[in-house]
Amino acid sequence: MAKKSTLAAKKAKKKTISMETGRIYVSTTFNNTIVTVTNEKGDTVAWSSSGNMGFRGTRKSTPFAATSAVEEAIKKVRDTRIRALEVYIKGPG
C-alpha cells in the first residue's frame, strides 16, 4: 500500500525578523506597480503588485491599484517585528 503524504501535516511557519527596520521598494512602470518589502540585509519579507491584486489591463497602472498593492504588502508585514520602514520609489514621473 502507498504511504499517506505528510505534507498536509506540515505547516508553514511565520517569518520572524530579528531587526526592527526594513525597506519598501516601490517600482512603477507605465503598466504595473511592484512593491517589495525587505529587511535591512535585503532579504524579501513580502511582496505584492497591482496585477496580483486582481487589476487587469489599463487599471493596473492607476494610482488606486498602486495604493492597494502597497497596503497589501504592509498587511503581510504586520505580524513580523518590523516597525520602521524606509521607502524607495523608482519609476517615471
Side-chain angles (χ1 to χ4, degrees):
M1 298 213 81
K3 276 187 171 181
K4 287 188 177 181
S5 176
T6 58
L7 293 177
K10 293 182 181 181
K11 202 170 195 182
K13 293 183 180 181
K14 293 275 185 177
K15 292 181 182 179
T16 55
I17 311 300
S18 61
M19 299 172 202
E20 293 186 1
T21 59
R23 297 177 180 164
I24 294 181
Y25 293 96
V26 181
S27 176
T28 61
T29 64
F30 290 110
N31 296 322
N32 202 0
T33 301
I34 301 171
V35 181
T36 307
V37 181
T38 65
N39 58 9
E40 283 184 341
K41 293 180 187 177
D43 301 329
T44 300
V45 178
W47 69 273
S48 185
S49 69
S50 298
N52 190 31
M53 295 300 301
F55 293 98
R56 295 289 176 229
T58 58
R59 290 183 293 168
K60 282 196 311 187
S61 59
T62 61
F64 178 73
T67 304
S68 299
V70 171
E71 288 174 355
E72 181 66 24
I74 291 174
K75 283 180 187 176
K76 292 178 183 178
V77 176
R78 281 191 185 153
D79 296 336
T80 63
R81 294 172 55 185
I82 294 178
R83 297 292 172 234
L85 293 168
E86 298 174 6
V87 179
Y88 296 92
I89 301 174
K90 179 180 179 181

